[in-house]
Amino acid sequence: MENSGVVKQTNGHLGVTEPIAWSGPTEYDLIKTQELEKYIEHVGLYESMEEAVSREEVPKKLEQIVKLWVKKVSRAKGFNEVSVQEANAKIFTFGSYRLGVHGPGEDINTLCVGPRQVTREEDFFTELHNMLFEMPQVTELHPIPDAYVPVMKFKLNGVSIYLLYAKLSLWVIPEDLDISHDSILQNVDEQSVRSLNQCKDTEQILRLVPNIQNFRTTLRCMRFWAKRRGVYSNVMGFLGGIDCALLVARICQLYPNALPSMLVSCFFRVYTQWRWPNPVMLCELQEGTLGLPMWDPRRNMRDRLHQMPIITPAYPCMNSSYNVSSSTLYVMMEEFRRGNQICEAMEASKADWDRLFEPFPFFEAYKNYLEIDMTAENDSDLRNWKGWVESRLCKLTLKIERHTFGMLQCHPCPRDFSDRSRPFHCCYFMGLQRKQGVAVEEGGQFDIRATVEEFKHSVSMYTLWKPGMEIRVSHVKRRNVPPFVFAGGV
């Protein structure tokens, strides 16, 4: 339903409820949207033509590589020459690149779909990994086999790639493979289901918004806003790319004829008032016929504990924001409120877009911080070690919340910092504050030493640990925050 005109008021609305408003743009909305489009171009959210053309070549090049790999694996497994020639793999893109909202230098999310004889453990993470390692045009190769969705990260011709693998039950992968049908999930392992769903969800989102162009512009803005305000990081318990896309898509459904400036303002108005844990959904839960585990708080106790359910549309639907904790939800709600106030001020000509997108002053916001330092023997070890520690940080937030009975709130900073004077070093910071409304005498001082030790112990269980991989966690007062975290060291 890709259209650029007005969506008529009929029973054929998109989404689980009727829209809130069918009204189209006013003169003011047209002016504000032009301003907004100029603004996002000015801050560099679009890539150059040149970069776009060279980026387009990368998935094609990757597809050539995986086709060769599948033939090589099939031959090594004793398949006859006819079967080896028929052996095939396909590359699909998903996420910001497929949605058409990626910016300069962003990674391309890709999925490789392979036949039943080609496995994830031995063939993808060993054979393909070794092939890529030997290629001069491939750099920064970093496999993460034990992630919730196993992934291989690397750069191909300087472009960052995020590659997943799904093994189907087919012996031969057809060139015109359509992965939108649920039947594709039959007899497929859980990690492959998760990997396939990244693509299926992206395609569904594009089908479920009333106007793709308005959706794209609004999503670009909201991703930029989330990054500037420090609430863009699924792994840290904030919003990931898919969460932003689903939240924006729902607003597009609720205001089908609104332009981007209006949609941005509606985004803040709606989510400031949203009563979590009521889920955000683009369509009714798809039951499916394959009996796969899916998000359903009526049946699953664990799903009832989710703080901020944002539900993916493709079967089997999942909560894409399962990492959100009460601390990170609190931070996001504060940001929604701030955004709403600024949009209201803009309508009274008392604020501008610059104000909305002002970076969050993380190191001025709290009096106390936790500094999590990581070191390793070399660059490659540090990359692996940092990836592992980062994936465990939301567990530290949960542990602190639990051990202080929710009295101490954590705000992890989604980016890492490094002290250039120390080789192979990087660190993360968390802002700490007493929960709003808790009297000081009730809590006194918080002693989280045991919690931190427990976290360090769980991190040390890393299966790929190597000598030199170390972690230090320390409490830092605002006035003692190290200078290397500030631009220009000030």
Side-chain angles (χ1 to χ4, degrees):
M1 195 172 166
E2 182 162 353
N3 63 52
S4 53
V6 168
V7 180
K8 297 281 193 300
Q9 181 165 357
T10 63
N11 293 336
H13 65 81
L14 292 163
V16 290
T17 61
E18 282 277 332
I20 291 172
W22 290 96
S23 50
T26 61
E27 197 58 43
Y28 170 83
D29 298 322
L30 288 162
I31 293 165
K32 285 315 262 183
T33 292
Q34 280 175 339
E35 272 180 26
L36 181 59
E37 282 170 347
K38 244 185 220 145
Y39 182 88
I40 62 177
E41 204 170 322
H42 173 70
V43 293
L45 295 192
Y46 292 100
E47 61 186 354
S48 65
M49 258 328 272
E50 201 179 348
E51 191 183 345
V53 170
S54 67
R55 186 188 284 271
E56 249 168 53
E57 292 306 309
V58 171
K60 294 176 195 164
K61 175 71 188 149
L62 186 57
E63 188 156 272
Q64 290 168 0
I65 295 169
V66 296
K67 284 181 188 309
L68 280 173
W69 161 64
V70 164
K71 291 187 191 323
K72 188 176 170 185
V73 167
S74 301
R75 186 173 284 122
K77 291 189 176 181
F79 282 68
N80 64 35
E81 207 41 46
V82 174
S83 302
V84 167
Q85 289 318 310
E86 281 182 341
N88 192 23
K90 289 287 300 168
I91 289 287
F92 294 89
T93 59
F94 63 92
S96 60
Y97 180 76
R98 175 68 189 100
L99 289 171
V101 297
H102 59 285
E106 260 186 59
D107 46 9
I108 302 182
N109 293 315
T110 56
L111 166 70
C112 172
V113 176
R116 65 190 295 170
Q117 70 269 28
V118 180
T119 66
R120 181 179 292 100
E121 291 73 23
E122 293 89 54
D123 303 324
F124 181 74
F125 279 113
T126 307
E127 191 54 48
L128 180 60
H129 174 274
N130 295 344
M131 266 177 79
L132 292 169
F133 187 75
E134 295 299 324
M135 294 180 163
Q137 64 268 48
V138 172
T139 54
E140 295 181 28
L141 186 56
H142 176 204
I144 314 174
D146 45 8
Y148 183 69
V149 181
V151 59
M152 206 143 39
K153 296 180 181 181
F154 53 93
K155 282 188 174 172
L156 177 57
N157 295 338
V159 174
S160 294
I161 298 282
Y162 190 94
L163 178 64
L164 311 180
Y165 180 65
K167 176 179 86 138
L168 300 189
S169 56
L170 304 171
W171 287 107
V172 176
I173 301 295
E175 267 305 300
D176 59 355
L177 178 71
D178 177 2
I179 58 172
S180 67
H181 297 295
D182 290 348
S183 57
I184 204 100
L185 303 172
Q186 229 152 359
N187 305 320
V188 163
D189 66 273
E190 219 171 297
Q191 278 118 328
S192 292
V193 170
R194 284 183 205 140
S195 302
L196 284 159
N197 266 21
Q198 309 259 344
C199 285
K200 288 161 62 102
D201 287 329
T202 302
E203 298 304 323
Q204 281 279 42
I205 290 169
L206 292 172
R207 282 192 206 108
L208 289 166
V209 292
N211 180 308
I212 289 185
Q213 203 39 58
N214 289 343
F215 164 73
R216 282 184 175 142
T217 304
T218 310
L219 180 53
R220 273 187 196 275
C221 291
M222 297 323 301
R223 290 175 70 220
F224 180 59
W225 165 82
K227 287 173 185 175
R228 295 283 275 204
R229 298 303 299 171
V231 290
Y232 189 84
S233 169
N234 178 283
V235 72
M236 295 280 194
F238 293 112
L239 301 172
I242 181 76
D243 305 312
C244 285
L246 292 168
L247 290 178
V248 169
R250 185 66 188 120
I251 298 300
C252 292
Q253 291 180 341
L254 292 171
Y255 299 88
N257 292 315
L259 288 180
S261 69
M262 227 165 130
L263 290 166
V264 167
S265 150
C266 293
F267 178 97
F268 291 117
R269 191 179 320 139
V270 169
Y271 293 123
T272 294
Q273 296 170 40
W274 197 272
R275 291 202 175 99
W276 304 105
N278 281 328
V280 169
M281 301 195 292
L282 299 188
C283 53
E284 296 296 347
L285 293 182
Q286 310 294 316
E287 284 292 340
T289 53
L290 301 173
L292 295 169
M294 57 184 263
W295 183 85
D296 187 350
R298 294 165 304 189
R299 294 178 201 158
N300 312 326
M301 268 305 292
R302 277 183 62 183
D303 294 345
R304 288 177 211 172
L305 304 173
H306 291 171
Q307 300 273 343
M308 188 186 190
I310 301 172
I311 308 307
T312 58
Y315 171 79
C317 50
M318 299 288 171
N319 171 19
S320 64
S321 57
Y322 56 88
N323 274 340
V324 171
S325 67
S326 64
S327 288
T328 55
L329 177 60
Y330 175 79
V331 171
M332 288 187 275
M333 288 305 290
E334 286 295 292
E335 286 301 326
F336 293 154
R337 280 190 276 273
R338 172 190 174 271
N340 191 42
Q341 283 164 357
I342 291 171
C343 288
E344 283 173 2
M346 271 202 268
E347 281 164 34
S349 304
K350 289 181 178 163
D352 57 11
W353 291 116
D354 255 337
R355 176 85 198 288
L356 181 67
F357 298 114
E358 236 167 49
F360 179 73
F362 184 79
F363 291 106
E364 292 158 35
Y366 300 99
K367 290 179 182 158
N368 295 285
Y369 295 89
L370 272 189
E371 180 178 345
I372 297 110
D373 288 277
M374 294 148 284
T375 47
E377 292 281 311
N378 55 53
D379 262 336
S380 158
D381 282 2
L382 182 62
R383 200 163 40 244
N384 293 345
W385 182 226
K386 181 190 143 216
W388 166 252
V389 172
E390 182 188 43
S391 73
R392 315 310 292 167
L393 279 179
C394 64
K395 297 278 186 282
L396 177 57
T397 303
L398 288 171
K399 279 181 164 66
I400 291 174
E401 281 178 13
R402 200 168 52 237
H403 294 175
T404 63
F405 305 102
M407 299 286 189
L408 187 61
Q409 288 183 317
C410 310
H411 179 175
C413 181
R415 56 159 295 200
D416 60 287
F417 301 87
S418 51
D419 182 352
R420 296 275 171 246
S421 68
R422 296 169 65 182
F424 316 122
H425 161 270
C426 84
C427 63
Y428 286 105
F429 286 86
M430 279 187 182
L432 300 173
Q433 73 174 3
R434 194 180 298 280
K435 188 179 178 178
Q436 298 294 310
V438 173
V440 174
E441 58 275 14
E442 276 181 51
Q445 293 294 311
F446 292 105
D447 185 351
I448 55 170
R449 283 174 297 192
T451 314
V452 164
E453 283 311 312
E454 192 184 308
F455 167 73
K456 281 162 64 178
H457 178 71
S458 75
V459 165
S460 69
M461 308 308 249
Y462 182 40
T463 46
L464 303 174
W465 186 87
K466 289 183 179 171
M469 289 182 176
E470 309 221 336
I471 182 167
R472 226 180 100 241
V473 182
S474 43
H475 168 225
V476 185
K477 292 267 193 213
R478 184 197 299 165
R479 62 176 178 274
N480 299 329
V481 166
F484 64 77
V485 305
F486 302 103
V490 178

